[in-house]
Amino acid sequence: MSSANRTTEVVVCLKWVFQADEPSDARFAGMSPADHAALELALQWATHIGGQVTAITVGPAQADAVLREALACGATRAVRIDTANGVSSADVASAIASVARHAAWVWCGDYSIDNGSGSVPGYLAAALQASQALGVLGVTFESGSIVATRRVDGGRREVLDVQAPAVISVEGATARLRRASLTAMRAAASAPIEVVAPSIVMRTSEHIAHTYRPRARALASPTGAEALDRVRSLTAAGTSSAAHEVETLEPADAAARIVQTLREWGYL
Amino acid sequence: MNENVNENVNDCDVIVVGGGPAGSCAAIVAARAGLSVVLLERGPFPGSKNMYGGVVYPRILDELIPNWWEEAPIQRWVTRRSTMLLTDTQALTVDFRTEAWGKAPYNGATAYRPDFDHWLASHAEAAGAQLLTSTTVTGLLRDDKGVVVGVTTDRPDGDLRARVVIACDGVNSFLAKQAGLYTHTDVKHFTLGVKETLALPKEVIDERFGVRGREGVDIEIIGCTGGVNGGGFVYTNLDTVAVGVVLKIAKLAGQALRPEQIIATLKAHPAIAPLIEGGEVKEYSAHVIPEAGLAMMPKMISDGMLVAGDAAALCLAAGIWLEGVNFAMASGMYAGEAAVEAVRAGDVSAQGLRGYQRRLSDTFVLQDHRKLRRAPELVLSDRVQHLYPQMVANVVERMFRIDNPQPKPGLRRILKQERKRAGIRRRDLIRDGLTGFRSYG
């Protein structure tokens, strides 16, 4: 990938997953609906900007099935990062980023159907230092940019003007995957798939999965002459339970302030 | 459809339509012979759309997959085979079991078709056939002389051309019909098979059916199909029991009954209910069956095309013998062989493909059907279906009933009385007996 075509480099990330009720049966394995939608939009967007689509998956050899589906539908290049199933989201994202580091547009499914948390696209945007539009419900193609409608809390919608480089994760209902032509299907069955070793040691999510707990907070010895006062200062009993501060700051300062407060409260 | 594009360009040597047992066997044979083969399947994987009602007899696979029993995904080996005559309140069972059928080379097996067909198709792929799934064949491509040169599919850019098309597209074969080969399509030739698959723990099934390990049971039933001509079946999988009925479609349509009501009646029968009690319904499925045997078979060969399996009505429904998958596998295999022969000889006309007919005629495929050609009609006749079961059950009930102080009546007298009570004429009984004897003898 040369830097000349960087703005037209489109990547779609696809995950080969088992159905929830058929957890080890490859006959029922494949892409989730969200990945289907991502593939379709990646293909449409590539046509729109005159680019080509590279499909990337992370998984074992059986995961080639989703890449062949992508090739049959119109992707021009397929890369599988060879790992076992069940790698942590952060490591999946780093591995994809090492292959897709020149990509201008990265499309992902919102989350996979096997307990997916939708975290890979976020990690990926961070690793690629790209902007992100996650949980997208609908897109409009402009010349050189994408207007994405995003689901936010409380039934609200957020409309984003997405510029390259960007990671866009879409919900399953955003697009219906086209039907591959018979000729393309036959060609895809024997098309080459680039298999690359992961650039980092991949940790499975089992190794790092645990319930989130705030770390222990170091407290100074309580002060106060009476035992009651010392207990009160330790437990904050009698003070307001809703700790909040209102400050008006520039975004960068606000982010720094939030991080600092979370540190003080022991959450980071 | 039927347009002629580029006569000399073939995408492959052989197109096999349908990834069932017939199609996979045809593809295995043709691909192993070095031909380029495309196997088209409309479902997401072979077997996903398929259904059957009892036992697979895979010995024909000896020729294709040596020691197939070591790898075939079977549920249980049928070591116990029962034929059951039911009236509303009575049951007469002829029950046979043998250890021999539980050992290699085995006899019959129960299997889940999505497993079995998928496995068979994997051998076709291993042999080099290209399997394309989720692709429905919509018609035939023919040249200007009417010779079949390929198929059209429901995919974009979906025409596929080959020297030979083998249609294994199942009962109601649209391809055989389109080719003008299938004329006996009257509804009277077809039955509807419906079944429920009920989950029960393996130990419970073992205990209720008196089997151990991988041993299994197949029960074929006459009677108790709610006045609709047909039959019933119960067979064991590892941890499910299948119970179902096969119903003559015309008669079913005439009754104000739905097939699931007839299954419910069968399930409630005192001879069946204890076997399946507590079973949770995991699946309900239904499929049309070509039931009439030789009387309905289409022409199986035309220029550039062969028909095999259910598409060729190769389903033996002869009461005590109920087979289909073995006929499908055999006919598929022979179609594959004939296609190889024809392609190698450079003559794929009906004449060049006639090796298929010879193979069918020389083997059990057509010989069994010829021998049993009268059996399907006899088995589904009103007398066999509705009158004889009641008569036989009453005779047996009186035979074993001890009416002391009355002495035992003579068997001939009981038989005569019960025949009259059932309203069966003596000459009909003799005629049916002779038909049965000629067919089965």
Side-chain angles (χ1 to χ4, degrees):
Chain A
M1 290 177 224
S2 71
S3 56
N5 61 2
R6 193 174 164 182
T7 51
T8 57
E9 185 68 38
V10 180
V11 160
V12 60
C13 305
L14 305 169
K15 185 178 183 186
W16 181 75
V17 285
F18 291 110
Q19 294 281 341
D21 52 351
E22 300 286 349
S24 58
D25 195 331
R27 287 173 298 178
F28 300 99
M31 282 184 234
S32 57
D35 284 8
H36 273 145
L39 173 58
E40 177 59 33
L41 290 171
L43 291 166
Q44 287 178 13
W45 178 240
T47 307
H48 187 77
I49 59 172
Q52 293 193 318
V53 174
T54 299
I56 301 177
T57 193
V58 180
Q62 286 168 297
D64 282 352
V66 297
L67 296 180
R68 298 210 181 278
E69 199 176 342
L71 289 169
C73 287
T76 48
R77 185 178 164 223
V79 182
R80 178 168 60 82
I81 300 161
D82 189 37
T83 68
N85 263 345
V87 174
S88 78
S89 297
D91 288 356
V92 167
S94 321
I96 294 174
S98 68
V99 175
R101 60 188 177 278
H102 297 302
W105 304 95
V106 179
W107 294 83
C108 303
D110 185 21
Y111 51 84
S112 61
I113 47 176
D114 57 344
N115 306 320
S117 60
S119 51
V120 168
Y123 280 118
L124 192 53
L128 291 171
Q129 294 187 304
S131 51
Q132 60 177 23
L134 307 185
V136 167
L137 290 164
V139 293
T140 314
F141 294 164
E142 307 287 337
S143 68
S145 70
I146 294 167
V147 176
T149 309
R150 187 175 166 253
R151 190 192 291 279
V152 286
D153 288 348
R156 294 187 181 86
R157 299 286 181 265
E158 187 175 48
V159 179
L160 304 171
D161 180 21
V162 186
Q163 307 279 343
V167 175
I168 304 170
S169 80
V170 295
E171 294 196 356
T174 25
R176 177 187 282 265
L177 181 60
R178 65 194 61 186
R179 203 156 155 69
S181 84
L182 197 68
T183 317
M185 243 182 120
R186 293 195 69 200
S190 54
I193 285 176
E194 296 167 41
V195 179
V196 300
S199 52
I200 51 165
V201 177
M202 306 289 262
R203 296 165 298 168
T204 61
S205 28
E206 281 161 26
H207 293 152
I208 52 169
H210 52 74
T211 316
Y212 179 74
R213 289 192 191 88
R215 63 183 167 77
R217 205 157 35 130
L219 295 173
S221 301
T223 51
E226 297 295 315
L228 186 60
D229 294 335
R230 293 197 291 275
V231 170
R232 273 192 178 136
S233 77
L234 268 179
T235 60
T239 59
S240 165
S241 62
H244 65 264
E245 300 158 29
V246 177
E247 289 191 54
T248 307
L249 296 167
E250 287 300 303
D253 296 337
R257 183 76 181 87
I258 289 169
V259 170
Q260 185 202 333
T261 309
L262 289 173
R263 281 227 169 85
E264 283 168 14
W265 289 347
Y267 288 104
L268 292 175
Chain B
M1 229 164 281
N2 301 353
E3 75 272 32
N4 179 9
V5 202
N6 188 346
E7 203 161 328
N8 298 316
V9 181
N10 280 314
D11 298 298
C12 55
D13 294 321
V14 178
I15 295 168
V16 181
V17 182
S24 286
C25 286
I28 289 171
V29 170
R32 281 187 188 165
L35 302 193
S36 66
V37 179
V38 173
L39 176 58
L40 295 168
E41 165 60 40
R42 73 188 165 121
F45 60 87
S48 56
K49 300 267 182 190
N50 301 57
M51 182 198 164
Y52 81 130
V55 185
V56 180
Y57 299 95
R59 285 299 304 279
I60 188 70
L61 287 179
D62 289 359
E63 294 178 39
L64 290 184
I65 307 167
N67 294 0
W68 50 266
W69 52 82
E70 289 169 5
E71 51 170 295
I74 69 105
Q75 288 286 313
R76 288 179 187 255
W77 301 108
V78 175
T79 57
R80 198 178 151 202
R81 171 70 201 262
S82 303
T83 302
M84 207 180 242
L85 218 59
L86 294 186
T87 69
D88 290 347
T89 55
Q90 301 155 304
L92 170 67
T93 308
V94 179
D95 185 33
F96 176 75
R97 66 188 301 159
T98 172
E99 292 293 294
W101 294 349
K103 291 191 275 238
Y106 300 97
N107 181 40
T110 59
Y112 291 135
R113 290 289 299 279
D115 294 344
F116 188 82
D117 293 13
H118 181 256
W119 164 76
L120 205 51
S122 73
H123 275 275
E125 280 192 282
Q130 183 174 32
L131 171 67
L132 300 177
T133 57
S134 300
T135 306
T136 304
V137 170
T138 51
L140 292 167
L141 280 175
R142 293 196 236 196
D143 67 7
D144 44 15
K145 296 183 201 87
V147 176
V148 174
V149 294
V151 296
T152 57
T153 69
D154 65 340
R155 287 195 174 273
D157 187 19
D159 291 0
L160 199 62
R161 302 170 71 81
R163 304 175 77 180
V164 181
V165 172
I166 305 179
C168 307
D169 51 339
V171 62
N172 280 336
S173 172
F174 294 112
L175 293 187
K177 283 176 189 164
Q178 200 193 339
L181 301 175
Y182 214 151
T183 47
H184 306 289
T185 52
D186 192 294
V187 68
K188 71 178 182 200
H189 295 314
F190 296 91
T191 54
L192 179 70
V194 287
K195 83 173 175 194
E196 284 181 9
T197 305
L198 310 167
L200 282 168
K202 180 179 184 296
E203 309 76 59
V204 173
I205 294 173
D206 286 352
E207 197 176 315
R208 288 184 189 176
F209 287 85
V211 284
R212 295 282 177 272
R214 285 269 175 177
E215 295 170 346
V217 181
D218 173 44
I219 305 174
E220 304 292 349
I221 301 163
I222 288 188
C224 204
T225 45
V228 179
N229 301 31
F233 57 85
V234 175
Y235 63 85
T236 54
N237 296 312
L238 219 46
D239 53 7
T240 60
V241 174
V243 50
V245 288
V246 171
L247 305 164
K248 222 171 167 176
I249 291 179
K251 195 94 174 188
L252 178 66
Q255 306 256 344
L257 274 177
R258 291 193 51 81
E260 62 269 27
Q261 288 175 291
I262 297 174
I263 292 190
T265 314
L266 180 64
K267 281 166 75 181
H269 192 280
I272 305 296
L275 298 176
I276 52 161
E277 197 168 27
E280 183 200 344
V281 180
K282 299 299 267 187
E283 181 189 87
Y284 176 84
S285 49
H287 214 287
V288 174
I289 305 167
E291 187 91 8
L294 210 59
M296 69 181 298
M297 278 181 199
K299 273 178 69 185
M300 298 180 205
I301 305 174
S302 86
D303 294 329
M305 177 170 162
L306 298 170
V307 187
D310 266 9
L314 289 167
C315 185
L316 186 71
I320 48 176
W321 290 296
L322 298 156
E323 302 163 25
V325 177
N326 52 337
F327 285 93
M329 292 190 289
S331 60
M333 195 169 91
Y334 298 145
E337 288 173 8
V340 171
E341 231 169 51
V343 168
R344 280 186 181 156
D347 177 9
V348 296
S349 67
Q351 179 67 16
L353 289 165
R354 72 189 184 285
Y356 181 43
Q357 187 66 41
R358 180 172 46 77
R359 286 175 173 85
L360 295 179
S361 297
D362 290 353
T363 58
F364 75 99
V365 179
L366 283 184
Q367 286 181 10
D368 282 359
H369 274 100
R370 281 204 195 101
K371 183 172 158 53
L372 291 159
R373 66 189 177 280
R374 293 193 194 89
E377 203 184 335
L378 175 70
V379 171
L380 288 178
S381 71
D382 284 338
R383 284 194 294 277
V384 172
Q385 288 282 317
H386 308 306
L387 301 181
Y388 295 160
Q390 188 65 64
M391 179 189 83
V392 172
N394 286 350
V395 167
V396 175
E397 184 169 331
R398 282 178 64 185
M399 251 171 72
F400 292 119
R401 191 170 65 209
I402 310 301
D403 270 343
N404 297 150
Q406 299 286 331
K408 291 185 182 11
L411 197 54
R412 260 174 70 184
R413 206 174 99 222
I414 302 178
L415 203 57
K416 192 174 170 189
Q417 284 172 352
E418 289 303 327
R419 178 175 63 74
K420 283 191 170 154
R421 187 146 77 110
I424 300 165
R425 289 186 300 186
R426 196 150 159 253
R427 63 162 181 245
D428 287 339
L429 188 62
I430 290 168
R431 194 168 55 201
D432 290 342
L434 276 174
T435 309
F437 186 74
R438 281 200 202 109
S439 291
Y440 297 109

